[in-house]
Amino acid sequence: MDSQRDTGSRLDLGSRGDEPLSPAIRHVAVVVPAHNEEQRLGHALESLLRATQGLEQLFPAVTTSISVVLDSCTDRSARIAASFAATHPVLATLEVKLRSTGASRATGVAFALKVAAEDPEGVWLANTDADSTVPADWLVRQVELANSGADAILGSVEPDPADSDAAVLLRWLELHPFKESHPHIYGANLGVRASAYLQSGGFPAVRAHEDRMLVERLRRHGFRVQATDSIRVTTSGRTHARAPQGFAAYLRSLAQDVPVVAESA
């Protein structure tokens, strides 16, 4: 669900000259695709609810929604999501059979925009994954950056040390240093103004790299894209891939590059 290194050029917030900033954000729609994530989905939703509460405290006029897109799930993911939806009206679930992360994200966005009933200029689309947990200020920071002029935000991610091989995690950190204006794109930590998303054509219906393709479209259209480490998301460090070219597959490729250290006698 996450793309690897992005080698394209980045646009600074001032890339559109003296044009006025877009309207302030009035609604934040979180979209979460899920495929058989019963082990991590509950933690992901708990972190998202904390983030919506944090946003409500600092931006009480901004409304929120969370759309969980359950794609071809055969485990307990649907029941877990439904239990959260039963007690948290901000959360809704959709069950689809697309077997495509890109199509799942696009479906979730389309549903969220219908629920929002707002002008897309004032709607922010926050994207993450069902195997990831977001920080409490995840939405607050995105709204702050959006209100300051960003059309899209590329956050950073860190594999969860709890389920990552130590050597692979070290290799990851060597290749992905945490810094502002980083060159990476992760579907687990990506925000975009709805109007920019729609004008750029949205997420393509592909199984992997839909995040990178969307950002390439945004840049071609001249939208302001800002990369930041100020909202770091923790994601699963597993190496058994759900998508053939997704984040887990990339971690597995790093594992193949890690030298084997012989145990001492």
Side-chain angles (χ1 to χ4, degrees):
M1 292 185 180
D2 300 317
S3 285
Q4 301 170 22
R5 184 180 179 87
D6 164 49
T7 56
S9 61
R10 292 188 300 280
L11 298 180
D12 295 327
L13 290 182
S15 62
R16 287 194 288 181
D18 297 326
E19 292 184 28
L21 297 179
S22 299
I25 298 301
R26 297 183 298 273
H27 180 83
V28 174
V30 181
V31 176
V32 189
H35 172 64
N36 290 347
E37 291 290 356
E38 64 181 6
Q39 294 183 345
R40 301 186 66 99
L41 180 57
H43 295 298
L45 297 181
E46 288 171 354
S47 72
L48 287 172
L49 290 170
R50 284 194 296 271
T52 62
Q53 292 166 1
L55 182 65
E56 182 180 357
Q57 291 174 358
L58 290 182
F59 292 90
V62 178
T63 56
T64 58
S65 65
I66 301 173
S67 302
V68 182
V69 185
L70 300 150
D71 189 356
S72 307
C73 292
T74 57
D75 65 354
R76 296 178 58 254
S77 292
R79 279 178 283 174
I80 292 170
S83 67
F84 276 86
T87 55
H88 298 87
V90 70
L91 193 150
T93 64
L94 300 81
E95 294 194 48
V96 299
K97 294 187 180 300
L98 301 170
R99 294 192 176 277
S100 164
T101 307
S104 293
R105 289 196 199 279
T107 299
V109 169
F111 174 79
L113 290 178
K114 290 181 180 179
V115 172
E118 289 270 5
D119 186 317
E121 280 285 317
V123 176
W124 188 259
L125 303 170
N127 297 271
T128 189
D129 288 336
D131 64 350
S132 305
T133 55
V134 306
D137 64 345
W138 189 60
L139 297 179
V140 167
R141 186 62 180 142
Q142 289 190 60
V143 169
E144 289 174 343
L145 292 173
N147 287 345
S148 295
D151 295 310
I153 297 169
L154 311 180
S156 56
V157 306
E158 179 178 16
D160 189 347
D163 65 356
S164 300
D165 177 271
V168 173
L169 180 59
L170 179 60
R171 180 61 174 157
W172 163 270
L173 295 174
E174 291 174 349
L175 296 173
H176 303 79
F178 298 125
K179 61 182 181 179
E180 293 299 289
S181 301
H182 60 79
H184 307 291
I185 298 171
Y186 308 103
N189 197 358
L190 189 159
V192 58
R193 189 178 292 271
S195 54
Y197 172 90
L198 293 171
Q199 290 176 48
S200 300
F203 285 116
V206 294
R207 294 191 65 187
H209 305 314
E210 75 289 340
D211 42 9
R212 175 176 56 80
M213 294 177 187
L214 171 62
V215 173
E216 289 174 350
R217 292 175 176 182
L218 290 166
R219 285 173 170 153
R220 284 199 299 269
H221 281 76
F223 288 108
R224 302 179 179 95
V225 179
Q226 181 177 3
T228 180
D229 183 46
S230 62
I231 45 171
R232 192 182 305 169
V233 164
T234 301
T235 194
S236 173
R238 66 189 173 206
T239 56
H240 54 284
R242 302 293 176 89
Q245 295 178 316
F247 188 72
Y250 176 60
L251 289 181
R252 188 171 64 249
S253 72
L254 293 184
Q256 295 170 350
D257 292 336
V258 173
V260 176
V261 179
E263 296 184 1
S264 57

